[in-house]
Amino acid sequence: GAGVSQSPSNKVTEKGKDVELRCDPISGHTALYWYRQSLGQGLEFLIYFQGNSAPDKSGLPSDRFSAERTGGSVSTLTIQRTQQEDSAVYLCASSLVLANYGYTFGSGTRLTVV
Amino acid sequence: GIQVEQSPPDLILQEGANSTLRCNFSDSVNNLQWFHQNPWGQLINLFYIPSGTKQNGRLSATTVATERYSLLYISSSQTTDSGVYFCAVEPGTGANNLFFGTGTRLTVIP
């Protein structure tokens, strides 16, 4: 597509429920990144994909977080047993190749855990 | 890990004024990007500038990699320039992701 698309744009969930966030990158972009932004804060790196592979998962905050990418395109970020501290905006970005080009960000998913 | 410091943290300008935002980083970098986050939260890539100088309209950026800093210049500021400006770097160690500074919050008043 023309831009990076994320869904849903907003998600309110009860503590303890699982949520799935989706990112559809720009067509042809091989690299995909997930970041998290808490209210009024900077961006915290979570995970990146080169194709379908995620070489470094150390940025994920806990084992409740997981991510996958299929077909070198769509990625999903899953948070199990959500906690209130998971509330944040989850941002996805893609770039043509890994790292050495400009990133294009989606509009984010605002997650609120109540 | 690499440290990215931005200054000033907050800036208020009268419409039409010029400003310079600074980004200092603690180690060598392969990649440096400037982003603008508008009041609705959308992040827009302004410049991919690991070194040298680039200009795009009223905005320009300069990175002096050997001295580990980058500057973003905004000339003839407009109210639509308001938002948070982030500097982000990829360390030269090949981390393959960007580390973001804490941002400069710019408010342009008419």
Side-chain angles (χ1 to χ4, degrees):
Chain A
V4 177
S5 178
Q6 291 188 246
S7 62
S9 54
N10 279 284
K11 176 72 176 179
V12 180
T13 190
E14 292 182 352
K15 178 181 173 181
K17 300 284 189 182
D18 297 353
V19 295
E20 194 172 274
L21 312 180
R22 176 187 169 107
C23 173
D24 200 343
I26 292 173
S27 178
H29 279 197
T30 62
L32 184 148
Y33 313 84
W34 283 97
Y35 286 81
R36 177 169 73 172
Q37 186 175 30
S38 300
L39 188 64
Q41 302 297 309
L43 275 73
E44 174 190 5
F45 169 73
L46 299 178
I47 192 169
Y48 78 89
F49 288 90
Q50 173 60 30
N52 294 332
S53 173
D56 181 4
K57 300 181 179 179
S58 62
L60 295 175
S62 76
D63 59 8
R64 296 185 295 104
F65 288 70
S66 63
E68 65 174 13
R69 188 179 186 195
T70 55
S73 180
V74 172
S75 176
T76 53
L77 178 68
T78 302
I79 309 172
Q80 296 179 308
R81 305 181 302 282
T82 52
Q83 304 294 313
Q84 288 187 327
E85 60 263 29
D86 299 335
S87 297
V89 176
Y90 289 81
L91 291 156
C92 174
S94 70
S95 66
L96 187 60
V97 295
L98 195 62
N100 287 324
Y101 282 83
Y103 286 22
T104 301
F105 275 88
S107 299
T109 294
R110 181 175 298 277
L111 175 66
T112 304
V113 182
V114 298
Chain B
I2 194 167
Q3 302 299 310
V4 185
E5 296 180 351
Q6 291 186 243
S7 59
D10 292 278
L11 184 60
I12 300 175
L13 294 178
Q14 197 78 41
E15 194 170 29
N18 303 327
S19 64
T20 301
L21 281 57
R22 187 176 180 102
C23 172
N24 291 332
F25 42 96
S26 61
D27 210 338
S28 62
V29 299
N30 287 337
N31 182 348
L32 186 147
Q33 299 183 36
W34 283 96
F35 294 88
H36 174 222
Q37 188 168 40
N38 65 24
W40 296 270
Q42 179 68 49
L43 273 161
I44 305 296
N45 188 306
L46 299 176
F47 293 103
Y48 165 73
I49 187 164
S51 63
T53 297
K54 290 186 178 180
Q55 179 152 10
N56 184 1
R58 296 181 297 103
L59 302 182
S60 65
T62 295
T63 297
V64 183
T66 53
E67 297 186 20
R68 299 181 182 168
Y69 73 89
S70 182
L71 303 173
L72 178 69
Y73 306 95
I74 305 174
S75 64
S76 304
S77 58
Q78 301 177 358
T79 55
T80 51
D81 295 333
S82 296
V84 182
Y85 289 80
F86 288 104
C87 168
V89 303
E90 181 213 340
T93 53
N96 292 323
N97 62 273
L98 292 177
F99 290 83
F100 281 73
T102 52
T104 291
R105 181 174 299 277
L106 174 65
T107 304
V108 181
I109 54 178

